[in-house]
């Protein structure tokens, strides 16, 4: 528990500012401090130990008994009373049978070589008679309505999420008018032109879903009371309906309790001259050590892809239409370092962010690191001063624009440990761009506009526990001028150009997002994750201070 608290505080404070060498040494010392050991109990005297050993030696060894097997029998009845059939099933078996007096009806069965539980399950499936096993006692309750109380562990809240990705190419103005005997009116509006758009929304209200589902199971004859505040569900229904209610609640709680740890690396790769067309992912195979699946949808490696070059050459005809700049790959090797080191051979790698977050099944997790800057988006009203009339300042409307890194992930975990992820990473940078508009006689109008540079993607991938999915292909290019001149002589107007040269260069960058999934099944998974976090902090190298 001591290490858990230290690591939690370390992760929270590490996002704010560097902690220096003294802080690192103190944290490492705290992490290496062993947890308090339980109090040692003094051993008993030697005479007591000898007496116990003598008593053990005289006890004869206990022979292990063979495991008892369920007795099997044949059961053949025709239109027999249900109560008499139930009582006859346990004859010659270790089970006891309790049948409620209200149990009526007849049974027709022909069962061969079955046990008592197998016969009772067959009767339940065919005739709907419910039963309950308590040790070696089997109870067949009354078919009348009964009331059961169940307890569920879930947060009493409603959680909504939405992600929106749009590509707007411009806007058009639309106008309309109407006229009549008394006058006419006209107006215009502006409408944005979207070339593509992806909208994803989630609405999680566990308790409302449970109430709706249980009401459908019990039907109109039953009743359901759901108390989200206390975590209690009260159901009144027939025994057959109560059996389905218990089965649904067990499955629902099991599925919703699955948890996954998501670790991401958002990289910006400044490509070398030989890789201007993009990262050559074929080099990441390393003789078959890293297996790759198309878009992460087939981590088992089928159908195979061509690992012969860039994205367009690798994907070939597996994706219909022209291959775009976005793709996804799944790596069976869960080592971030191996993937990043191989990418370094093709360019300079800058790790923009390394977020880590845990979330449960079908719950959206959002991580945001950056700043919100406010920019002017509208200016209305305002008058200049006139004779006897003071000037009125205009109304300025500002809106926040986010600059930084955001990661939006929603996992879905099935019973085979396959994880389907909805991933939406975004890297944005907003700067102020002053635009001057000539208004003729009114002068020039300077507008401080917000200029956004955004790299984002919205995709759905599927991978196994411990695998890494890579989302890349987000390319950007920048141009610059390098000026080399002789001091003094190069600064002479016009003639100075003879004493220097100017060269233009371009740099291509590719944004790569690596996401690793780790299922959290028990406390041992948490301990392994905390141990890995401790090793990372102990191996952390402080940046060299600049003079």
């Amino acid at each position: 528990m001591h290490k858990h608290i230290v690591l939690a505080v370390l992760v929270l404070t590490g996002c704010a500012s560097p902690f220096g060498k003294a802080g690192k040494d103190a944290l490492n010392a705290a992490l290496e401090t062993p947890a308090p050991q339980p109090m040692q109990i003094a051993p008993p005297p030697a005479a007591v130990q000898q007496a116990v050993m003598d008593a053990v030696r005289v006890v004869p060894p206990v022979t292990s008994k063979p495991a008892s097997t369920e007795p099997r029998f044949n059961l053949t009845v025709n239109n027999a009373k249900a109560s008499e059939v139930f009582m006859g099933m346990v004859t010659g078996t270790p089970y006891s049978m309790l049948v409620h007096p209200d149990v009526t009806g007849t049974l027709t069965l022909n069962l061969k070589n079955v046990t008592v539980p197998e016969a009772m399950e067959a009767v339940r499936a065919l005739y709907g008679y419910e039963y309950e096993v308590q040790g070696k006692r089997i109870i067949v309750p009354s078919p009348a309505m009964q009331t059961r109380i169940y307890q569920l562990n879930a947060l009493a809240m409603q959680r909504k999420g939405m992600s929106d990705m749009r590509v707007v190419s411009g806007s058009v103005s639309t106008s309309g008018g109407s006229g009549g005997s008394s006058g006419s009116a006209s107006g215009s509006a502006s409408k944005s032109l979207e070339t593509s758009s992806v909208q994803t929304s989630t609405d999680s209200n566990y308790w409302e879903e449970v109430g709706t589902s249980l009401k459908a199971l019990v039907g109109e004859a039953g009743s359901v009371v759901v108390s989200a505040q206390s975590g209690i569900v009260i159901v009144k229904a027939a025994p057959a309906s109560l059996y389905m209610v218990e089965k649904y609640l067990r499955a629902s709680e099991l599925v919703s309790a699955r948890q996954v740890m998501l670790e991401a690396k958002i990289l910006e790769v400044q490509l070398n001259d030989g890789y201007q067309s993009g990262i050559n992912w074929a080099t990441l195979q390393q003789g078959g050590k890293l297996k790759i699946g198309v878009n992460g949808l087939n981590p088992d490696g089928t159908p195979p892809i061509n690992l012969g070059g860039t994205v367009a050459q690798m994907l070939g005809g597996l994706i219909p239409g022209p291959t775009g700049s976005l793709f996804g790959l799944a790596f069976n090797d869960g080592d971030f370092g191996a993937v990043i080191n191989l990418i370094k051979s093709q360019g300079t790698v800058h790790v923009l962010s390394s977020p880590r977050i845990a979330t449960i099944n079908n719950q959206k997790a959002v991580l945001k690191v950056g700043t919100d800057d406010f920019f002017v988006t509208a200016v209305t009203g305002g008058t200049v001063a006139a004779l006897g009339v003071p000037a009125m300042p205009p109304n300025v409307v500002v809106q926040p624009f986010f600059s930084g890194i955001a990661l939006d992930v929603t996992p879905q975990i099935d019973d085979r440990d396959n994880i389907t992820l909805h991933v939406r990473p975004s890297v944005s940078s907003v700067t102020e761009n002053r635009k001057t508009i000539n208004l003729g006689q009114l002068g020039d109008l300077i507008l401080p506009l917000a200029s956004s540079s955004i790299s984002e993607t919205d995709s759905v991938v599927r991978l196994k526990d411990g695998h890494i999915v890579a989302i890349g292909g987000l390319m950007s290019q920048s141009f610059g001028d390098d000026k080399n001149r002789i001091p003094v002589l190069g600064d002479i107007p016009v003639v100075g150009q003879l004493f220097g040269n100017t060269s233009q260069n371009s740099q291509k960058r590719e944004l790569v997002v690596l996401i690793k999934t780790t299922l959290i099944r028990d406390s041992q998974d948490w301990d392994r994750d905390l141990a890995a976090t401790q090793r990372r902090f102990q191996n952390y190298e402080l940046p060299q201070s600049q003079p």
Side-chain angles (χ1 to χ4, degrees):
M1 185 64 184
H2 173 71
K3 291 186 177 181
H4 294 195
I5 297 176
V6 171
L7 286 175
V9 175
L10 179 57
V11 171
L12 292 177
T13 56
C15 297
S17 62
F19 45 84
K21 185 176 186 303
K24 176 187 174 182
D25 296 339
L27 288 171
N28 287 334
L31 291 172
E32 294 174 356
T33 302
Q37 300 295 330
M39 182 181 298
Q40 298 294 333
I41 301 176
V48 176
Q49 297 183 17
Q50 185 64 33
V52 173
M53 295 301 299
D54 294 339
V56 172
R57 292 191 186 97
V58 300
V59 176
V62 180
T63 58
S64 60
K65 298 181 179 179
S68 60
T69 58
E70 290 281 347
R72 294 185 173 273
F73 54 87
N74 299 333
L75 179 60
T76 303
V77 295
N78 186 13
N79 289 329
K81 291 184 178 181
S83 58
E84 296 178 356
V85 174
F86 291 140
M87 298 302 295
M89 280 186 188
V90 297
T91 303
T93 68
Y95 290 96
S96 301
M97 182 67 67
L98 300 176
V99 182
H100 196 275
D102 293 340
V103 175
T104 58
T106 59
L107 300 177
T108 299
L109 302 172
N110 187 7
L111 301 176
K112 304 293 184 180
N113 194 26
V114 295
T115 62
V116 173
E118 292 174 353
M120 293 298 297
E121 189 63 30
V123 173
R124 169 195 278 170
L126 186 60
Y127 292 96
Y129 287 93
E130 288 301 316
Y131 68 95
E132 181 181 353
V133 179
Q134 297 179 356
K136 292 297 182 179
R137 293 179 301 175
I138 300 178
I139 302 174
V140 181
S142 170
M145 304 284 283
Q146 299 182 14
T147 301
R148 299 282 178 87
I149 299 177
Y150 306 97
Q151 185 175 2
L152 300 179
N153 298 317
L155 294 175
M157 69 176 187
Q158 182 178 4
R159 200 162 185 258
K160 294 184 178 181
M162 183 175 180
S163 62
D164 188 4
M165 180 177 175
R166 301 182 182 182
V167 179
V168 180
S169 60
S171 62
V172 295
S173 298
T174 59
S175 60
S178 62
S181 58
S182 59
S184 62
S186 63
S188 63
S190 178
K191 180 180 179 181
S192 298
L193 294 178
E194 297 181 0
T195 56
S196 62
S197 174
V198 176
Q199 294 182 354
T200 306
S201 61
T202 59
D203 189 355
S204 175
N205 192 339
Y206 179 78
W207 290 101
E208 182 179 351
E209 295 174 359
V210 167
T212 303
S213 302
L214 295 182
K215 290 178 182 178
L217 290 176
V218 302
E220 297 181 357
S223 60
V224 177
V225 177
V226 177
S227 175
Q229 187 66 29
S230 60
I232 293 177
V233 177
I234 305 175
V235 182
K236 182 179 181 181
S241 299
L242 291 177
Y243 171 74
M244 296 303 299
V245 167
E246 294 178 2
K247 191 174 181 180
Y248 164 77
L249 292 179
R250 284 197 298 267
S252 175
E253 195 166 15
L254 179 63
V255 171
S256 60
R258 293 171 184 160
Q259 190 169 202
V260 62
M261 173 70 72
L262 302 172
E263 184 176 0
K265 299 285 186 183
I266 302 178
L267 313 175
E268 185 183 57
V269 184
Q270 183 175 331
L271 300 172
N272 295 335
D273 294 337
Y275 299 95
Q276 292 298 298
S277 59
I279 296 176
N280 187 353
W281 295 95
T283 60
L284 302 184
Q285 192 182 16
Q286 272 196 339
K289 179 182 178 181
L290 300 179
K291 298 180 181 179
I292 304 178
V294 178
N295 284 336
L297 297 178
N298 56 338
D300 295 333
T302 56
I305 65 175
N306 176 25
L307 298 179
T310 59
V311 177
Q313 297 170 345
M314 291 164 56
L315 301 183
L318 295 179
I319 299 180
T323 55
S325 60
L326 174 65
F327 67 96
L329 301 174
F331 298 90
N332 290 353
D333 193 324
D335 185 9
F336 271 126
V339 180
I340 295 177
N341 288 334
L342 290 170
I343 295 177
K344 286 182 178 179
S345 63
Q346 306 183 29
T348 304
V349 178
H350 303 279
V351 180
L352 302 181
S353 180
S354 299
R356 301 175 72 249
I357 191 170
T359 183
I360 62 176
N361 200 10
N362 287 317
Q363 290 293 331
K364 181 186 291 291
V366 180
L367 195 144
K368 174 181 175 182
V369 180
T371 58
D372 284 323
D373 297 325
F374 287 85
F375 292 88
V376 177
T377 57
V379 179
T380 60
T383 59
V384 297
L387 183 61
V389 179
M392 297 295 295
N395 296 324
V396 179
V397 179
V398 296
Q399 286 186 356
F401 287 81
F402 175 71
S403 295
I405 298 173
L407 181 62
D408 180 340
V409 182
T410 304
Q412 193 279 328
I413 311 166
D414 63 12
D415 54 352
R416 297 182 180 180
D417 292 346
N418 293 316
I419 305 172
T420 304
L421 293 177
H422 170 251
V423 186
R424 185 178 179 272
S426 175
V427 179
S428 60
S429 176
V430 182
T431 58
E432 182 175 324
N433 183 17
R434 292 181 173 270
K435 188 174 183 63
T436 303
I437 301 177
N438 188 0
L439 300 179
Q441 296 181 354
L442 298 178
D444 295 336
L445 177 62
I446 301 177
L447 297 178
L449 303 178
S451 177
S452 300
S453 175
I454 302 177
S455 297
E456 61 180 350
T457 178
D458 191 304
S459 62
V460 178
V461 295
R462 186 169 181 260
L463 64 160
K464 286 281 189 179
D465 175 28
H467 291 185
I468 296 176
V469 61
I471 302 175
L474 298 171
M475 307 284 291
S476 62
Q477 188 171 9
S478 61
F479 298 92
D481 295 336
D482 291 337
K483 297 182 179 180
N484 298 318
R485 295 184 181 181
I486 299 176
V488 181
L489 297 178
D491 296 333
I492 301 176
V494 182
V495 183
Q497 298 180 1
L498 301 176
F499 299 95
N501 59 56
T502 301
S503 62
Q504 293 183 347
N505 56 58
S506 63
Q507 293 181 348
K508 275 194 174 182
R509 291 180 173 86
E510 182 172 350
L511 187 68
V512 178
V513 180
L514 304 177
I515 300 178
K516 179 182 177 181
T517 58
T518 304
L519 290 181
I520 305 298
R521 302 178 182 87
D522 50 29
S523 59
Q524 294 181 356
D525 292 332
W526 281 112
D527 293 339
R528 283 191 292 267
D529 183 79
L530 290 173
T533 303
Q534 178 180 350
R535 288 193 299 270
R536 282 194 294 269
F537 276 109
Q538 289 177 344
N539 298 331
Y540 173 75
E541 296 182 359
L542 294 174
Q544 297 180 357
S545 58
Q546 299 294 333

Coordinates of all heavy atoms in Angstrom, one line a residue, residues 338-373:
A338 N 11.1 -1.5 -28.5 CA 11.5 -2.2 -29.7 C 10.9 -1.4 -30.9 O 11.6 -1.2 -31.9 CB 11.1 -3.6 -29.7
V339 N 9.7 -1.0 -30.8 CA 9.0 -0.3 -31.9 C 9.7 1.1 -32.1 O 10.0 1.5 -33.2 CB 7.5 -0.2 -31.7 CG1 6.9 0.5 -32.9 CG2 6.9 -1.6 -31.6
I340 N 9.9 1.8 -31.0 CA 10.4 3.2 -31.1 C 11.8 3.2 -31.6 O 12.2 4.0 -32.4 CB 10.3 3.9 -29.7 CG1 8.8 4.0 -29.3 CG2 11.0 5.2 -29.7 CD1 8.6 4.6 -28.0
N341 N 12.6 2.2 -31.1 CA 14.0 2.2 -31.6 C 14.1 1.9 -33.1 O 15.0 2.4 -33.8 CB 14.8 1.1 -30.8 CG 15.1 1.5 -29.4 OD1 15.1 2.7 -29.1 ND2 15.2 0.5 -28.5
L342 N 13.2 1.1 -33.6 CA 13.2 0.8 -35.1 C 12.8 2.0 -35.9 O 13.2 2.3 -37.0 CB 12.4 -0.4 -35.4 CG 13.0 -1.8 -34.9 CD1 12.0 -2.9 -35.0 CD2 14.2 -2.1 -35.6
I343 N 11.8 2.8 -35.3 CA 11.4 4.0 -36.0 C 12.5 5.0 -36.0 O 12.6 5.8 -36.9 CB 10.1 4.5 -35.3 CG1 9.0 3.6 -35.4 CG2 9.7 5.9 -35.9 CD1 7.7 4.0 -34.7
K344 N 13.4 5.0 -35.0 CA 14.5 6.0 -34.9 C 15.4 5.8 -36.1 O 16.1 6.8 -36.4 CB 15.2 5.9 -33.6 CG 14.5 6.4 -32.4 CD 15.3 6.3 -31.1 CE 14.6 6.9 -29.9 NZ 15.4 6.7 -28.7
S345 N 15.5 4.6 -36.6 CA 16.4 4.4 -37.8 C 15.9 5.1 -39.0 O 16.7 5.2 -40.0 CB 16.5 2.9 -38.1 OG 15.3 2.4 -38.4
Q346 N 14.7 5.7 -39.0 CA 14.2 6.3 -40.2 C 13.9 7.8 -40.0 O 13.5 8.5 -40.9 CB 12.8 5.7 -40.6 CG 13.0 4.2 -40.8 CD 11.7 3.5 -41.3 OE1 10.9 4.2 -41.9 NE2 11.5 2.3 -41.0
G347 N 14.2 8.3 -38.8 CA 14.1 9.7 -38.5 C 14.3 10.0 -37.1 O 14.5 9.1 -36.2
T348 N 14.2 11.3 -36.8 CA 14.3 11.8 -35.4 C 13.0 11.7 -34.7 O 12.0 12.3 -35.2 CB 14.9 13.2 -35.4 OG1 16.1 13.3 -36.1 CG2 15.1 13.7 -33.9
V349 N 12.9 11.0 -33.6 CA 11.7 10.7 -32.9 C 11.5 11.7 -31.7 O 12.5 11.8 -30.9 CB 11.6 9.3 -32.4 CG1 10.3 9.0 -31.6 CG2 11.7 8.3 -33.6
H350 N 10.4 12.4 -31.7 CA 10.1 13.2 -30.5 C 8.8 12.7 -29.9 O 7.8 12.5 -30.5 CB 9.8 14.7 -31.0 CG 11.0 15.3 -31.7 ND1 12.1 15.8 -31.0 CD2 11.2 15.5 -33.0 CE1 12.9 16.3 -31.9 NE2 12.5 16.1 -33.1
V351 N 8.9 12.3 -28.6 CA 7.8 11.8 -27.8 C 7.0 13.0 -27.3 O 7.4 13.7 -26.4 CB 8.2 10.9 -26.7 CG1 7.0 10.4 -25.9 CG2 9.0 9.7 -27.2
L352 N 5.8 13.3 -27.9 CA 5.0 14.4 -27.5 C 4.3 14.2 -26.2 O 4.2 15.1 -25.4 CB 4.0 14.7 -28.6 CG 4.6 15.0 -30.0 CD1 3.5 15.4 -31.0 CD2 5.6 16.2 -29.9
S353 N 3.9 12.9 -26.0 CA 3.1 12.6 -24.8 C 3.1 11.1 -24.6 O 3.2 10.4 -25.5 CB 1.7 13.2 -24.9 OG 1.0 12.9 -23.7
S354 N 3.0 10.7 -23.3 CA 3.0 9.3 -22.9 C 1.8 9.1 -21.9 O 2.1 8.8 -20.7 CB 4.3 8.8 -22.3 OG 5.3 8.9 -23.3
P355 N 0.6 9.3 -22.3 CA -0.5 9.1 -21.3 C -0.8 7.7 -21.0 O -0.6 6.8 -21.8 CB -1.7 9.8 -22.1 CG -1.4 9.6 -23.5 CD 0.1 9.7 -23.6
R356 N -1.2 7.5 -19.8 CA -1.6 6.2 -19.3 C -2.9 6.3 -18.5 O -3.0 7.2 -17.6 CB -0.6 5.5 -18.4 CG 0.8 5.3 -19.1 CD 1.9 4.8 -18.2 NE 1.6 3.4 -17.8 CZ 1.3 2.9 -16.6 NH1 1.1 3.8 -15.7 NH2 1.1 1.7 -16.4
I357 N -3.9 5.5 -18.8 CA -5.2 5.6 -18.1 C -5.9 4.3 -18.1 O -5.7 3.5 -19.0 CB -6.1 6.7 -18.8 CG1 -7.3 7.0 -18.0 CG2 -6.5 6.2 -20.2 CD1 -8.1 8.2 -18.5
A358 N -6.6 4.0 -17.1 CA -7.4 2.8 -16.9 C -8.9 3.1 -17.0 O -9.3 4.1 -16.5 CB -7.1 2.0 -15.6
T359 N -9.7 2.2 -17.7 CA -11.1 2.4 -17.8 C -11.8 1.0 -17.9 O -11.1 0.0 -18.2 CB -11.4 3.2 -19.0 OG1 -12.8 3.5 -19.1 CG2 -11.0 2.5 -20.3
I360 N -13.0 1.0 -17.6 CA -13.8 -0.3 -17.6 C -14.5 -0.4 -18.9 O -14.5 0.5 -19.8 CB -14.8 -0.3 -16.4 CG1 -15.8 0.8 -16.5 CG2 -14.1 -0.3 -15.1 CD1 -16.9 0.6 -15.5
N361 N -15.1 -1.5 -19.1 CA -15.7 -1.9 -20.4 C -16.8 -0.9 -20.8 O -17.6 -0.5 -20.1 CB -16.4 -3.3 -20.2 CG -16.5 -4.0 -21.5 OD1 -16.0 -3.6 -22.5 ND2 -17.2 -5.1 -21.5
N362 N -16.6 -0.5 -22.1 CA -17.6 0.4 -22.8 C -17.7 1.7 -22.1 O -18.8 2.4 -22.2 CB -19.0 -0.3 -22.8 CG -19.0 -1.4 -23.8 OD1 -18.5 -1.3 -24.9 ND2 -19.7 -2.5 -23.4
Q363 N -16.7 2.2 -21.4 CA -16.7 3.5 -20.8 C -15.6 4.4 -21.5 O -14.4 4.0 -21.5 CB -16.5 3.4 -19.3 CG -17.6 2.8 -18.5 CD -18.8 3.7 -18.5 OE1 -18.8 4.9 -18.6 NE2 -20.0 3.1 -18.5
K364 N -16.0 5.6 -21.9 CA -15.1 6.5 -22.6 C -14.1 7.0 -21.6 O -14.4 7.5 -20.5 CB -15.9 7.6 -23.3 CG -15.0 8.6 -24.0 CD -15.8 9.7 -24.5 CE -16.8 9.3 -25.6 NZ -16.0 8.9 -26.9
A365 N -12.8 7.1 -22.0 CA -11.7 7.7 -21.2 C -11.1 8.8 -22.1 O -10.8 8.6 -23.2 CB -10.7 6.7 -20.9
V366 N -11.0 10.0 -21.5 CA -10.5 11.2 -22.2 C -9.3 11.7 -21.4 O -9.4 11.9 -20.2 CB -11.6 12.3 -22.3 CG1 -11.0 13.5 -23.1 CG2 -12.8 11.7 -23.1
L367 N -8.2 12.0 -22.1 CA -7.1 12.6 -21.5 C -6.7 13.8 -22.3 O -6.6 13.7 -23.5 CB -5.9 11.6 -21.4 CG -4.7 11.9 -20.5 CD1 -4.2 10.7 -19.9 CD2 -3.6 12.6 -21.3
K368 N -6.5 14.9 -21.6 CA -6.2 16.2 -22.2 C -5.1 16.9 -21.5 O -5.1 17.1 -20.3 CB -7.5 17.0 -22.2 CG -7.4 18.5 -22.7 CD -8.7 19.2 -22.5 CE -8.6 20.6 -22.9 NZ -9.9 21.4 -22.8
V369 N -4.0 17.3 -22.3 CA -2.9 18.0 -21.8 C -2.6 19.2 -22.7 O -2.3 19.0 -23.9 CB -1.6 17.1 -21.7 CG1 -0.4 17.8 -21.2 CG2 -1.9 15.8 -20.9
G370 N -2.7 20.4 -22.2 CA -2.5 21.5 -23.0 C -3.1 22.8 -22.3 O -3.3 22.8 -21.1
T371 N -3.3 23.8 -23.1 CA -3.8 25.1 -22.6 C -5.0 25.5 -23.5 O -5.1 25.2 -24.7 CB -2.7 26.2 -22.6 OG1 -2.2 26.3 -24.0 CG2 -1.6 25.8 -21.7
D372 N -5.9 26.3 -22.9 CA -7.0 26.9 -23.6 C -6.7 28.4 -23.7 O -6.6 29.1 -22.7 CB -8.3 26.7 -22.8 CG -8.8 25.3 -23.0 OD1 -8.7 24.8 -24.1 OD2 -9.4 24.8 -22.0
D373 N -6.5 28.9 -24.9 CA -6.3 30.3 -25.2 C -7.6 30.9 -25.8 O -8.2 30.3 -26.6 CB -5.1 30.5 -26.1 CG -3.8 30.0 -25.6 OD1 -3.6 30.2 -24.3 OD2 -3.0 29.5 -26.3

